[in-house]
Amino acid sequence: MTGAGISAESGVPTFRGSGGFWEGRRAEDIASPAGFLRDPEMVWRWYRSRRAHLATVEPNAGHHALVRLERGVERFCLATQNVDRLHRRAGSRNVLEIHGDILASRCFRNCGAEPVEDPRAAVPRCSCGEMLRPAVVWFGEMLPVDLLEKAMAAAISSDVCLVVGTSGLVYPAAGFSAMARQAGAFVIDVNPEDTPHSAKADISLRGTAATVLPLLLEEIGIPEEPGRRAGV
Ligand code: OAD
């Protein structure tokens, strides 16, 4: 499971802490249905500026290490709270974007029409006339049930649960590692700081994702370039 910390070294700010997205802002003003209804233009401005910034960043060594891990093990599932697409861009395959995808939009009333977003409109509209909104999960909203079920199934059937770069404050994602551990998984926490996950983990690796994950892979014998070693 990953959180904002894995994208930090790509230049994407995390949410909490100094320099985080929520510093000096009320998260609920930007990331909740009520905040959106109060000021949809402001909310769209914020998401568009994040989208524009994401177009300038690249996956880092942490994302790439998880791609190699997926190729190197029998079963792998990546539940990410990130909406930045960097895991998919790096090449991860079995990715559950449980908080959505910031580059996609959908109808605020979920009418089901394919959204066609007018980039000139301050608040883009769906073909049904309703406002479009970014396709992310906001505070107070349910996670998509199918993704949540898949993530929980992966957690409880895993041998190892790797928790990378998340503050462990936002549920239900924050509960996955405890679920995995209760079901017998070995839990590894990767974070430069202590989090609620640390106490519940079997080991805590204190460092950044882009430094720790490549070292971890080396340690468990997954080489830098699997194709090369196999002579492909
Ligand atoms: P947070 O901003 O809450 O936490 C980021 C975590 O990453 C912290 O524990 C940092 O110590 C850690 N970190 C920072 N730099 C790192 C690095 N280079 N390598 C590894 N870890 C690093 O972000 P999330 O836990 O992802 O939800 O936040 C969870 C959810 O809260 C987000 O998905 C978002 C937010 O509000 C919604 O928008 C619904």
Side-chain angles (χ1 to χ4, degrees), residues 3-6 8-9 14-16 22 81-82 99 137-139 165-168 170 190-193 195 207-209:
I6 196 167
E9 284 153 288
T14 58
F15 291 94
R16 294 169 184 81
W22 298 154
Q81 298 167 85
N82 300 345
H99 286 174
V137 175
W138 279 334
F139 289 101
T166 175
S167 57
V170 176
V190 178
N191 199 309
E193 289 176 27
T195 72
T208 72

Side-chain angles (χ1 to χ4, degrees), residues 138-150:
W138 279 334
F139 289 101
E141 294 184 316
M142 287 276 295
L143 268 59
V145 175
D146 55 332
L147 296 186
L148 183 57
E149 279 176 354
K150 282 183 187 163

